[in-house]
DNA sequence: TTGATCGTCAACCGTTTGGTTGAATATCCA
DNA sequence: TGGATATTCAACCAAACGGTTGACGATCAA
């Protein structure tokens, strides 16, 4: 892992971690709340968050008992810039954008948050 | 590896593979020529090329004894667009984003990249 | 202080990854 | 035909990955 881009792409390669980033896009979240929609242990989510943090994609800040996770888009932008180097494609392409949405919804049953209803959830 | 973006980011996570993509950005290359600058076996490079091909990032075409590797930027674009979603922080409204998602899903999109314009070869 | 909650750590486990080597296949050339 | 070149295949290996469980340190609330 010599190149600084390695841990970023490596972190993005996991659908759980991408789902977490998507959730954090909406708002900062506590670790427990991040873990809630997933069918895996809190420890597993904690590891995923560690990987995301090591890649610089998120930061974590303790406030009392709770650790808040915050998206850090700068690392993402660095990777994005690398890919733009290959781009004969423009940054904001609506067609590609809808393809993105389409693929996001085709998430497998237990690999991502079920965004249809998230009751019993109160943050902040 | 259920999500179509998984193999793409996974392929990009390796510096050798990113280097190969960069080389192919310049021109199509034979497998042996791809392998030449690396300090690993030809078989290892062949595996890397297989991974890149499975991710849709390159295609390979046999011409005589030689297999030519060609960059396919469309898969890269899909990943790039996913990341662009995070770059758009300010103007992006998550609710509108999800509404957009719903409407786009009810409208079957024409199924993605199919650019098979193979010009006749020249180099031998 | 006691007890519940939040999150990580440590050890473990099966699978995947990234490399090796040697044999196999396919094609060109003489 | 036979030999050289181009590439993959198969078996193997150590290391990393993604998950589990149980114990642990912190913090809040009573």
């Amino acid at each position: 892992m010599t190149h600084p881009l390695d841990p970023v792409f490596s972190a993005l390669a996991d659908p759980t971690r991408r789902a977490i980033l998507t959730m954090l896009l909406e708002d900062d979240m506590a670790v427990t709340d991040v873990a809630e929609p997933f069918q895996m242990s809190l420890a597993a989510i904690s590891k995923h968050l560690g990987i995301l943090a090591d890649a610089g994609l998120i930061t974590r800040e303790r406030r009392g008992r709770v650790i808040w996770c915050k998206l850090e888009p700068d690392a993402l932008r660095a990777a994005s810039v690398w890919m733009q180097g290959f781009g004969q494609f423009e940054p904001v392409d609506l067609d590609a954008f809808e393809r993105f949405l389409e693929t996001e919804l085709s998430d497998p049953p237990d690999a991502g948050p079920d965004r249809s209803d998230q009751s019993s959830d109160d943050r902040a």
Side-chain angles (χ1 to χ4, degrees), chain A:
Chain A
M1 294 265 237
T2 42
H3 197 285
L5 232 40
D6 287 7
V8 175
F9 282 124
S10 193
L12 294 178
D14 187 277
T16 299
R17 289 193 290 261
R18 286 201 310 275
I20 290 175
L21 291 180
T22 303
M23 293 161 61
L24 291 179
L25 188 56
E26 202 155 348
D27 202 357
D28 299 359
M29 294 179 77
V31 173
T32 304
D33 292 333
V34 168
E36 193 269 337
F38 297 98
Q39 286 186 324
M40 67 181 72
S41 68
L42 183 64
I45 294 295
S46 179
K47 276 195 193 179
H48 280 305
L49 292 172
I51 290 170
L52 288 171
D54 287 346
L57 291 165
I58 68 168
T59 50
R60 289 173 292 183
E61 184 195 350
R62 163 155 243 143
R63 222 135 63 205
R65 269 191 299 191
V66 175
I67 292 183
W68 293 91
C69 304
K70 179 177 188 294
L71 188 65
E72 291 292 339
D74 278 350
L76 259 179
R77 204 174 299 119
S80 180
V81 163
W82 184 87
M83 304 212 314
Q84 295 297 317
F86 293 86
Q88 294 78 354
F89 41 91
E90 60 277 17
V92 195
D93 180 338
L94 250 272
D95 289 342
F97 196 65
E98 73 183 61
R99 267 200 295 280
F100 154 58
L101 297 172
E102 165 194 344
T103 52
E104 276 311 294
L105 265 217
S106 65
D107 265 353
D110 67 342
D114 191 343
R115 314 176 101 349
S116 56
D117 59 332
Q118 281 203 19
S119 49
S120 78
D121 191 332
D122 48 342
R123 50 176 148 278

